[in-house]
Amino acid sequence: MALDTSEFKKTYVYETRAPVAEVLADLKRLGALDTRAERMRLSMGIGSFVFMCLGISFLILGQVLVSAALFATSIALVILWTRSKHTDLEDRRYGLVSALLQRFQVDLDANAPVDVKLDLAPEDAERKCVGKLKRGRWDCEDFTDAWLSLHGRFADGTHLHLSVVEHVQKRKRYGRGSSGKTKLKTKRKGKTLLQVGLRVKPERFPGLASQAANAKKAVRLPQEVILSRLDVTQDRVAMRALMGRDGREWVVRRAKPTSAMELTVLAPNDASRVVTMMLLSLYQVLGATHRQAPSPGRQRPLSRGSR
């Protein structure tokens, strides 16, 4: 079933269970919807500026009533522009899902649908607020934005679960500047947590739980990404990594640097690459169970079997 844009606009949450091709088509429609919203907001911003300039011009000419009408129109456009902020979707979010599905499509089971829940509402939406507190002179608001959950099944029978959660804190306080005027100061900090998990049949990977102690040796992640958790049980391997830290942003795909100067700049995280490396690391853990299993013609030593 194709994306119902009127329903989507009520919550800005896209949720479906469908074949990969259908999900990719829906994400393309979301991109088109986002483009129209961006153009509309741009027109509002330009229109507000133009009406403001015209209002000033007519005021200089002494046309007070005309000037007041133009100022009112300009203010109305600003209000509409502000209220339509939520319609401008974050491109990275649906772009990342699209990139990953295209990358994994060959390996996913063609007969099994994928389950996707993609929350495209702003990260600081009221429903995502988890606490308000005072820290020194700062008024703080904390937000937890679990904006992606994706389930699928690979052709080898392995079940995939991918999720992304962003934690954001907004701070504000009033203070006096060097000029003596009271100014509003704001700060924002956050982090992005990626989690990738694989669920398998225990009989296909005997002794998987015993790999827990050495599993970290199989992990290969970019230097700027921090491994925060690694779980290995008899039927599941899962990894959680901290991608956004120290104010570093992330992109769907990072372009290769074209100059020496770009190499010295703190580059954003390549999210699609990070997810791919996490998935490959988990498969390395699964593969270790086969490498350590005895050959079919060789009997397992009693000392191991008695443990």
Side-chain angles (χ1 to χ4, degrees):
M1 182 178 179
L3 172 70
D4 186 339
T5 56
S6 60
E7 286 296 318
F8 170 75
K9 289 179 180 179
K10 294 178 180 178
T11 60
Y12 285 88
V13 175
Y14 168 70
E15 188 169 8
T16 190
R17 177 179 173 84
V20 173
E22 185 175 316
V23 176
L24 289 173
D26 283 349
L27 294 174
K28 189 174 181 179
R29 294 186 187 95
L30 285 176
L33 181 69
D34 185 26
T35 299
R36 289 195 295 271
E38 289 175 353
R39 290 174 179 172
M40 181 65 71
R41 297 192 79 232
L42 179 61
S43 298
M44 291 177 184
I46 294 174
S48 176
F49 177 76
V50 170
F51 279 108
M52 179 64 71
C53 292
L54 289 173
I56 294 173
S57 299
F58 277 94
L59 184 61
I60 294 173
L61 295 174
Q63 301 291 327
V64 178
L65 292 178
V66 176
S67 177
L70 292 170
F71 281 137
T73 303
S74 176
I75 293 172
L77 287 173
V78 169
I79 293 173
L80 289 174
W81 180 85
T82 303
R83 290 181 176 177
S84 64
K85 176 184 176 182
H86 63 281
T87 66
D88 186 0
L89 309 178
E90 188 171 355
D91 308 35
R92 300 182 303 172
R93 296 192 172 186
Y94 60 80
L96 178 60
V97 180
S98 180
L100 292 175
L101 286 178
Q102 290 178 49
R103 184 171 295 181
F104 300 154
Q105 189 171 16
V106 177
D107 300 312
L108 289 169
D109 188 341
N111 299 317
V114 292
D115 294 274
V116 179
K117 184 175 182 180
L118 177 61
D119 190 340
L120 293 172
E123 62 184 18
D124 57 354
E126 185 62 31
R127 61 180 171 83
K128 299 178 182 182
C129 183
V130 294
K132 298 181 181 181
L133 66 158
K134 187 86 171 178
R135 291 189 176 177
R137 298 171 60 190
W138 294 93
D139 293 318
C140 304
E141 284 186 290
D142 291 315
F143 299 87
T144 296
D145 187 6
W147 60 265
L148 174 61
S149 176
L150 187 152
H151 293 261
R153 189 175 71 198
F154 288 116
D156 64 358
T158 303
H159 289 260
L160 165 72
H161 176 227
L162 166 67
S163 63
V164 186
V165 180
E166 292 196 17
H167 297 278
V168 178
Q169 185 180 90
K170 296 171 63 178
R171 296 185 174 193
K172 66 179 180 179
R173 71 177 177 87
Y174 289 92
R176 290 188 180 275
S178 56
S179 62
K181 294 182 179 179
T182 301
K183 296 181 179 180
L184 175 63
K185 297 182 179 181
T186 60
K187 286 184 179 181
R188 178 195 176 280
K189 64 177 183 178
K191 60 183 179 181
T192 302
L193 289 170
L194 287 172
Q195 181 159 314
V196 179
L198 296 175
R199 183 164 52 84
V200 299
K201 293 182 178 180
E203 57 269 23
R204 288 191 60 219
F205 298 93
L208 177 58
S210 65
Q211 299 297 320
N214 299 316
K216 284 188 177 181
K217 296 179 181 179
V219 176
R220 297 291 184 272
L221 294 175
Q223 188 175 4
E224 64 272 15
V225 176
I226 299 175
L227 176 66
S228 63
R229 184 166 181 172
L230 180 60
D231 296 321
V232 182
T233 63
Q234 64 177 358
D235 65 346
R236 184 173 178 268
V237 287
M239 180 189 304
R240 187 170 65 192
L242 177 61
M243 183 173 63
R245 62 188 180 97
D246 300 331
R248 177 174 294 197
E249 291 292 331
W250 61 271
V251 294
V252 176
R253 295 188 184 92
R254 187 167 61 201
K256 293 183 178 180
T258 57
S259 65
M261 182 176 294
E262 289 185 9
L263 290 172
T264 62
V265 177
L266 188 64
N269 290 284
D270 185 330
S272 60
R273 178 171 176 262
V274 173
V275 172
T276 302
M277 292 181 71
M278 292 173 70
L279 184 60
L280 291 175
S281 295
L282 293 180
Y283 264 105
Q284 284 292 322
V285 177
L286 294 177
T289 62
H290 292 300
R291 290 192 295 270
Q292 293 190 8
S295 60
R298 182 180 177 185
Q299 186 178 1
R300 183 185 295 269
L302 293 176
S303 58
R304 290 190 178 184
S306 61
R307 291 182 183 178

